[in-house]
Structure formats: structure tokens, C-alpha cells
Amino acid sequence: MTRIVNDLLLLSKLDQGVALDLATVDLAPTLADVVADALAVQPGRPITLSVAQPLTCRADAHLIHQVVAGLVHNALVHTPPDSPLEVLGSLAGGAVMVEVADHGPGMDPETAAHAFERFYRGDPSRTRNSGGSGLGLAIARSIIEAHGGRISLQTAPGKGCLFRLAFPVDGPPLTPSSG
């Protein structure tokens, strides 16, 4: 219950435009940390990391870590333990690009269309005890959008899931109240 309340509080703050804790950071160690944590949980899973060195940008490193860790966690939970997982980080055209790709069962179009909605669970057998609160992808979207970016999902049944994050290297655009 505490986790759900904390997730709802974070979403509420992001909805209200609460300022991010922005700093100039190298996200390469953040991505490496997420992959190391995943390998500690599932040491036999093939997980690869490919990241531009350095991956310097203006971001809230803690929240970006939360997003990537959540996407990796979802892949660990919803794919077979021998299914490969890739985490990629790069810079392209003034944007930070992060991809989390799995080779699991993927999602049908209906599930994918609702994946970022609050409290949505694609598998009707999942409960709060076995499948989370249905807030993880909604939080991920809100965090990336607060950074002035976007998150997308490319998936199909039997084709795995590819989540792409893209946000400005220089951080979110300044608003009249923040600048």
C-alpha cells in the first residue's frame, strides 16, 4: 500500500509540474547500475548494455534511473528467464535516447494501446500482489514528459517489446515560472 501511495504522490507532483532535481549528469553509469541490478536478480539472463560514453545531459538522474529500472523490471517479470534483454543509450540530434528491448511474448495491439494508462494491467490475471499497481508505465511517461521528452512502445505478439525514451540533452524547456 505504501508503494501505491508513493507512486500516486509522485504522479500528482509531476501532474502539477513540480520542479525536477536537474543537474548535469552522465547517465552511462545510471544505465550500467540498472543492468548490474538486473543481473544480480537474474544472473543467468542474457542482458547487454550498449551506451555512448559519456551520456551527458541535464536531467534528474534519480527519476531517469527509476524509469529505466522499471522498464527492465517489467522485462524481467514478463519474459522467460532465458529471454535476452538489451539496454542502449545514445545521443542523437540534441536528444538522449534510451532503449530497453526484450525478446519476450510482446503485447497485442489492444494492450499496447493502453499500456501507459494509469492502473491499466494488460494481463487480467495480475493482481496488486502478483503484478504491481498498474502505475509503472504511467509514471515512466510522466517523468519523461516532465523532462520535455517522449516515451514510445513498439511491440507485437511474439515480437517482444521495445521501449524508447527520448528527451533533450539540455533538459526540459524553461517555463516562464522556472526561468
Side-chain angles (χ1 to χ4, degrees):
M1 186 60 117
T2 301
R3 188 171 140 232
I4 293 171
V5 170
N6 288 335
D7 286 350
L8 288 170
L9 286 171
L10 175 58
L11 277 169
S12 176
K13 288 178 184 178
L14 291 166
D15 287 348
Q16 294 173 14
V18 172
L20 303 171
D21 186 14
L22 295 174
T24 299
V25 295
D26 179 1
L27 291 179
T30 299
L31 300 182
D33 183 51
V34 169
V35 168
D37 288 349
L39 286 167
V41 171
Q42 293 186 6
R45 182 183 291 262
I47 303 175
T48 58
L49 172 65
S50 175
V51 62
Q53 299 284 343
L55 190 57
T56 305
C57 63
R58 188 158 172 74
D60 186 320
H62 172 76
L63 291 178
I64 297 299
H65 183 281
Q66 181 177 343
V67 169
V68 178
L71 295 174
V72 168
H73 172 78
N74 284 350
L76 295 178
V77 169
H78 299 292
T79 64
D82 60 345
S83 179
L85 175 61
E86 293 100 30
V87 177
L88 303 117
S90 62
L91 299 172
V96 175
M97 308 295 290
V98 177
E99 295 183 352
V100 176
D102 71 56
H103 299 272
M107 296 180 203
D108 62 67
E110 176 71 15
T111 301
H114 298 285
F116 294 102
E117 292 177 10
R118 294 175 187 190
F119 301 110
Y120 183 77
R121 290 191 192 100
D123 180 353
S125 69
R126 290 172 59 203
T127 66
R128 280 187 175 75
N129 293 331
S130 67
S133 63
L135 292 172
L137 291 177
I139 289 171
R141 181 180 63 188
S142 291
I143 289 170
I144 296 304
E145 287 176 354
H147 279 81
R150 66 190 181 287
I151 183 171
S152 63
L153 167 61
Q154 181 178 337
T155 187
K159 302 290 185 184
C161 292
L162 170 61
F163 288 91
R164 282 194 179 104
L165 316 175
F167 54 95
V169 168
D170 296 330
L174 293 176
T175 60
S177 62
S178 66

